[in-house]
Structure formats: C-alpha cells, structure tokens
Amino acid sequence: MKRSLNGMRVLVTGGCGFIGTNFVHHVMQKFKDVFVINLDALTYAGRRKNLAEWEGNERYQFVKGDICDESLVRDLIQACDCVLHLAAESHVDRSIVDARPFVQTNVLGTQVLLDAMREVDPPGDKRFVYVSTDEVYGELSLEAREKRFTEDMCLRPNSPYAASKAGADLMVQAYHRTYGMDTVVTRCGNNYGPYQYPEKLIPLFITNLLQNKPVPLYGDGKHVRDWVHVDDHVEALCCVTENGEAGEVYNVGAACERSNLELTKIILRAMGKPESMIEYVKDRAGHDRRYAIDARKIRENLGWKASVSDFTDKLDALIAWYTTHYG
Ligand SMILES: NC(=O)c1ccc[n+]([C@@H]2O[C@H](COP(=O)([O-])OP(=O)(O)OC[C@H]3O[C@@H](n4cnc5c(N)ncnc54)[C@H](O)[C@@H]3O)[C@@H](O)[C@H]2O)c1
C-alpha cells in the first residue's frame, strides 16, 4: 500500500541521536504537514539542542523518556500513525565492555514498542519501521570481494551490539508473522554526516585532528566498511515507510567500500595532516573484517538510489561542520 508521510503523526525513537536528528530535520523540512513526536532518553549520544530550531513548532513534540517505559510508550503509540524506531545503544566498543544496556535498550526496548503496537486495532493499521544494521549479517572475507550481504542471508552477528540488534530485528519479523503487524526492517551500512557523537571512526578522527591529536587505528587497518551518507539513509527510511512492503527487509547501501586505513588517509589528506598522525592500536576483540551491501532490492523494488556514492564529495562539508561544532 502506498502511503505518504505528509499528514502523518510520526513517532521517532532516538530522534536526538545522529541518524534520528538528520531524519527529523529532513521530514520536518520536506513534509509540511508531518507531525513528529521525538521520544529520546538523552543518553550520552543524544543532544536535544540538535533539534532546537523545531522546539515550539506546532508540528514537533519532544518527549524525554525511555523506550522501556511501557505506559509512556503505549500512550505515544496510541497518539501516532507510524513508528520509526532508531533508539539504541549503538557503539560496538561500549558493548564489548558492558553488554547489559545493549540488551536492555536494543532488545527489551524494542519488545516494549512491539507489544504496544500489538494493541493497535486492527494490528496492521500502523507501520513500524525498525532501523537494523548490516552488522547483523556478521562478516565477509577480504578475499571474496564479489560477495555482498543480501536480505535472505542468515544472521551471524559477532559483537554484543550486533547480536542485540539481530535479536530485535528477528523479534520485529516474528511480530509481523505472528500478529499480522505492519513492519519493515532496514539494514544499512556505516553512516557518515553531521550530528554524530565523536566516538566512532570518522567524527573521532576529525575531532582528534582538529586538536592535533593522533588518530587510533585498530589492528592493521584493513577492515572494510560500506559507507552511506546519512542524507541517503534518511531518504531510504522515508522511502520504505511510504512504499515498503509489509514484512520485508531492505538493505541500504551506496556501494562505497573503503578500508579503515584508506579512509583515514583520505581524512588526513583533506585536513592537511601527515600520515605520522596514525597511531596503530591493539585490534578490537572479534573485529569483523568486511561489510558490503547489496542494495538491489530497495533500488529495483522501491526506486530508492544513493545520491552520494563517493565519500570524498561530502568530506569537506563534514570537516567544516565538525570544525564549527567541536573545533
Ligand atoms: N550510525 C550508523 O552508522 C548506523 C548504521 C546502521 C544502523 N544504525 C542504527 O540506527 C539507529 C540510530 O543510530 P545512531 O548512530 O543515530 O545512534 P546514536 O547512538 O547516535 O543515537 C541513539 C539515540 O537513542 C537514544 N536512546 C538510547 N537509549 C534509549 C532508550 N532506552 N530510550 C530512548 N532513547 C534512547 C539516545 O539518547 C540517542 O539519542 C540505531 O538503531 C543503530 O543501530 C546506525
């Protein structure tokens, strides 16, 4: 069924995080009749001021709260037409130190949202979009470069973060099958863009270099990630919300594979810094070698296409953004 976000009341979870912020700005600007309810617990990764320009706007409501709060979630779901679920603990390194908050928010929090969705009458009346990740597939080898993740592959997550995302991903699909809920799952590659908390590679390296600090690169630096600009990701989220088929999973990718070392050198060059700023550090435990996404399904079935395929196109703008906000 084709629907439009325009005129909808959209519950966004995690709207003060990196992708959530970009998503809220995008829909508020693009759809003049959308109403956004942003539910965010404001953990270390969430910043309310990211969306300060919408505070006071009659089409925007911020709710500080936890997705594990059953009665709050039930009330908000009754008040909306669809849910974009982005709230998560999202950093792999933190999940290696302590998996508990990852299971709590990513698995149990998703179950709380799904159970509140079950009370919707009829059950397929409101769409639930779950923002999963390509990390649920596990890893690909560096050698078989023709291999890419497709939606029908088994999930073989390796980090506690990825395992918690995979648990929720499967719960969403189970609720579709069991209760007839209108769900869509997306699995996107690594995003880059403004508003990301500076702990993951790109914002961490840029902000370190702004302060003339070295950049800590894991292991041999040959780990490959498939990068997507956040603008393309949020457009894909709109696309699946409006046109995705209920019960389906869609990969999101821009065919932009780079090793961490290549990426680091690109950032160093763009910021006029020498390669001696690279500090090779002990590899992350269980570090996946390569992610690569086959995004044919969303392209061919829904007509979505990445507009930014070359990482370097947006790099100067990104460095300028972090210079303004963290420099
Ligand atoms: N960043 C990426 O490259 C990437 C790639 C693919 C998928 N994803 C997924 O996209 C989603 C958003 O990722 P991100 O990078 O914007 O994450 P982020 O860490 O920047 O933001 C997460 C947001 O969720 C909020 N939050 C955390 N726990 C909460 C809770 N219990 N209740 C309510 N709010 C809570 C935080 O305050 C924060 O605002 C996540 O589900 C992540 O798994 C991210």
Side-chain angles (χ1 to χ4, degrees):
M1 181 177 72
K2 173 119 173 90
R3 66 196 83 210
S4 171
L5 274 161
N6 217 12
M8 277 203 192
R9 294 173 67 88
V10 184
L11 174 61
V12 178
T13 70
C16 294
F18 165 41
I19 299 169
T21 294
N22 283 283
F23 179 78
V24 173
H25 279 307
H26 182 78
V27 296
M28 289 296 289
Q29 281 155 7
K30 180 169 174 185
F31 302 103
K32 297 298 172 210
D33 287 321
V34 79
F35 184 91
V36 171
I37 306 164
N38 172 12
L39 171 62
D40 198 298
L42 297 180
T43 68
Y44 75 95
R47 290 173 116 195
R48 184 171 177 176
K49 71 173 188 199
N50 288 349
L51 293 164
E53 73 183 82
W54 302 111
E55 301 260 355
N57 188 302
E58 58 185 14
R59 296 189 292 121
Y60 176 77
Q61 182 189 359
F62 173 70
V63 178
K64 182 174 183 317
D66 195 316
I67 57 166
C68 299
D69 180 338
E70 290 175 25
S71 73
L72 173 64
V73 162
R74 200 178 299 124
D75 288 349
L76 293 178
I77 283 184
Q78 289 303 327
C80 75
D81 301 309
C82 74
V83 179
L84 269 288
H85 175 30
L86 296 106
E89 286 294 335
S90 69
H91 190 34
V92 174
D93 289 353
R94 288 176 187 257
S95 79
I96 293 169
V97 175
D98 182 9
R100 183 181 285 263
F102 288 74
V103 174
Q104 178 72 26
T105 286
N106 300 1
V107 184
L108 297 176
T110 302
Q111 179 236 318
V112 167
L113 286 160
L114 288 170
D115 278 338
M117 289 292 292
R118 273 179 65 191
E119 290 172 15
V120 170
D121 189 25
D125 209 35
K126 297 183 184 182
R127 171 149 284 191
F128 185 87
V129 178
Y130 175 62
V131 182
S132 188
T133 163
D134 62 346
E135 301 196 27
V136 297
Y137 293 116
E139 71 174 348
L140 297 167
S141 80
L142 286 181
E143 289 72 39
R145 290 310 282 256
E146 72 295 345
K147 272 208 147 186
R148 300 179 152 262
F149 297 136
T150 51
E151 290 85 349
D152 55 0
M153 278 180 170
C154 283
L155 307 191
R156 299 183 191 283
N158 291 317
S159 70
Y161 161 70
S164 69
K165 292 294 292 183
D169 182 319
L170 293 173
M171 285 293 278
V172 173
Q173 294 185 67
Y175 274 58
H176 167 73
R177 170 86 186 216
T178 309
Y179 305 110
M181 270 174 43
D182 180 357
T183 64
V184 178
V185 172
T186 61
R187 297 186 187 139
C188 187
N190 282 38
N191 284 220
Y192 60 99
Y195 299 106
Q196 189 169 25
Y197 181 82
E199 64 183 349
K200 294 171 189 150
L201 194 150
I202 293 179
L204 176 70
F205 285 15
I206 293 175
T207 51
N208 271 15
L209 291 171
L210 286 173
Q211 298 165 57
N212 244 349
K213 287 198 209 151
V215 292
L217 190 62
Y218 280 135
D220 59 11
K222 289 186 183 157
H223 306 83
V224 170
R225 298 294 179 260
D226 200 346
W227 292 92
V228 185
H229 193 273
V230 69
D231 289 350
D232 281 327
H233 187 191
V234 301
E235 191 50 61
L237 294 178
C238 293
C239 175
V240 301
T241 306
E242 295 191 326
N243 309 319
E245 209 171 306
E248 290 297 316
V249 175
Y250 296 94
N251 284 349
V252 179
C256 180
E257 284 182 62
R258 294 279 185 281
S259 75
N260 289 345
L261 181 58
E262 276 176 276
L263 193 65
T264 305
K265 287 183 178 174
I266 292 171
I267 295 171
L268 286 167
R269 257 198 311 279
M271 295 184 70
K273 302 285 184 185
E275 289 185 14
S276 57
M277 299 290 282
I278 300 176
E279 181 188 6
Y280 288 90
V281 296
K282 186 169 178 287
D283 205 358
R284 167 192 280 165
H287 204 173
D288 287 336
R289 264 314 199 182
R290 173 173 169 252
Y291 302 143
I293 292 166
D294 183 332
R296 259 177 303 181
K297 182 172 169 183
I298 189 170
R299 280 204 311 271
E300 291 173 9
N301 295 4
L302 305 185
W304 171 88
K305 200 164 134 274
S307 62
V308 188
S309 59
D310 188 345
F311 176 79
T312 49
D313 285 356
K314 293 267 186 169
L315 189 57
D316 287 342
L318 194 58
I319 293 167
W321 190 89
Y322 282 101
T323 307
T324 306
H325 292 83
Y326 289 90

